Amino acid sequence: EAQVTQNPRYLITVTGKKLTVTCSQNMNHEYMSWYRQDPGLGLRQIYYSMNVEVTDKGDVPEGYKVSRKEKRNFPLILESPSPNQTSLYFCASTKTGRGNQPQHFGDGTRLSIL
Amino acid sequence: AQTVTQSQPEMSVQEAETVTLSCTYDTSESDYYLFWYKQPPSRQMILVIRQEAYKQQNATENRFSVNFQKAAKSFSLKISDSQLGDAAMYFCAYRSPNFGNEKLTFGTGTRLTIIP
């Protein structure tokens, strides 16, 4: 089954404690991206990757890091989380250069930073 | 930069009736892609329908159809014969045709309630 898998689905943690949200896709997609969803703001892009070892900032990259060492994985790293990073996070993937193709989303990760 | 506006934070409709969700966008590009995504309480993002700007014909998927007005930069979603399972948050999204960042620019969403 084609899917994007995120882990964990829920996490409550404290300010400053480094955390990683994993994302893996089994569709051999070149492009992967992270979004955060906040009430009244919709989804906003954090970082994206066009292929292995190629990453770039999205609209709200502050406080986040990513890496793309393998095509299937695209982890999101919060090195020193703060309460304003409490949000719902989505990983997405798609084939590059086919604009009408849908992005496949993971099931979301609810992060609470206390 | 492109922007997407959904001016209706909440909508409700009687079961079996028809409802239209509004979406407008701002862009200087002539070619692009538009999408409607559904987010039920399970939080999944589910593609409902897509439209290529170069196609004049409005997209249709079963009970879901769009009214795409390119000159007005409007992309509304019509749901016919509303069902209880249609209750969700609906997001309109824009995607540039340019190779590179395949970013989706989302609106703020419309929460749809179905009244039994």
Side-chain angles (χ1 to χ4, degrees):
Chain A
E1 180 191 352
Q3 59 185 4
V4 177
T5 303
Q6 290 179 233
N7 280 297
R9 288 212 67 194
Y10 301 89
L11 179 63
I12 302 173
T13 188
V14 295
T15 300
K17 186 177 181 182
K18 181 179 179 180
L19 67 92
T20 299
V21 184
T22 63
C23 174
S24 181
Q25 50 92 6
N26 62 1
M27 296 165 280
N28 202 37
H29 286 162
E30 300 88 0
Y31 180 89
M32 297 184 75
S33 181
W34 279 101
Y35 295 86
R36 61 177 288 174
Q37 181 182 349
D38 301 290
L41 296 176
L43 285 80
R44 295 174 293 166
Q45 189 184 56
I46 303 170
Y47 267 95
Y48 68 97
S49 170
M50 291 177 59
N51 215 323
V52 176
E53 302 292 0
V54 181
T55 63
D56 206 347
K57 296 177 181 179
D59 295 321
V60 287
E62 294 78 20
Y64 304 95
K65 283 178 57 176
V66 293
S67 68
R68 187 90 181 273
K69 294 183 171 56
E70 303 166 288
K71 197 172 187 179
R72 63 182 292 125
N73 296 324
F74 189 45
L76 179 70
I77 302 157
L78 286 72
E79 293 210 324
S80 184
S82 62
N84 64 11
Q85 293 177 298
T86 292
S87 187
L88 177 60
Y89 291 85
F90 286 97
C91 180
S93 74
T94 190
K95 290 197 75 65
T96 301
R98 300 185 186 181
N100 68 338
Q101 293 303 303
Q103 298 206 3
H104 297 258
F105 284 84
D107 287 342
T109 296
R110 173 76 68 186
L111 279 185
S112 295
I113 315 294
L114 305 178
Chain B
Q2 294 80 21
T3 59
V4 177
T5 301
Q6 294 179 250
S7 57
Q8 306 154 314
E10 296 181 349
M11 293 278 287
S12 61
V13 63
Q14 206 81 30
E15 193 175 2
E17 296 295 308
T18 296
V19 64
T20 298
L21 308 184
S22 300
C23 173
T24 59
Y25 56 93
D26 187 25
T27 184
S28 58
E29 296 171 322
S30 59
D31 195 18
Y32 44 86
Y33 306 94
L34 297 166
F35 304 84
W36 278 98
Y37 279 87
K38 170 186 178 181
Q39 186 180 50
S42 65
R43 300 189 327 219
Q44 292 176 299
M45 293 291 288
I46 302 166
L47 178 68
V48 175
I49 201 165
R50 75 188 91 168
Q51 175 83 42
E52 291 95 336
Y54 63 86
K55 290 186 178 179
Q56 293 189 342
Q57 187 172 5
N58 289 325
T60 299
E61 290 285 344
N62 300 314
R63 296 183 295 107
F64 298 87
S65 61
V66 298
N67 183 6
F68 172 50
Q69 301 288 329
K70 190 173 184 179
K73 296 180 182 175
S74 171
F75 182 60
S76 60
L77 175 69
K78 185 171 85 170
I79 306 174
S80 303
D81 185 25
S82 298
Q83 301 175 359
L84 294 177
D86 295 334
M89 181 75 87
Y90 286 82
F91 291 99
C92 177
Y94 173 102
R95 183 159 156 185
S96 170
N98 297 322
F99 182 82
N101 189 0
E102 310 280 348
K103 180 179 82 170
L104 290 170
T105 299
F106 286 89
T108 52
T110 296
R111 185 172 300 282
L112 179 63
T113 301
I114 310 298
I115 303 166

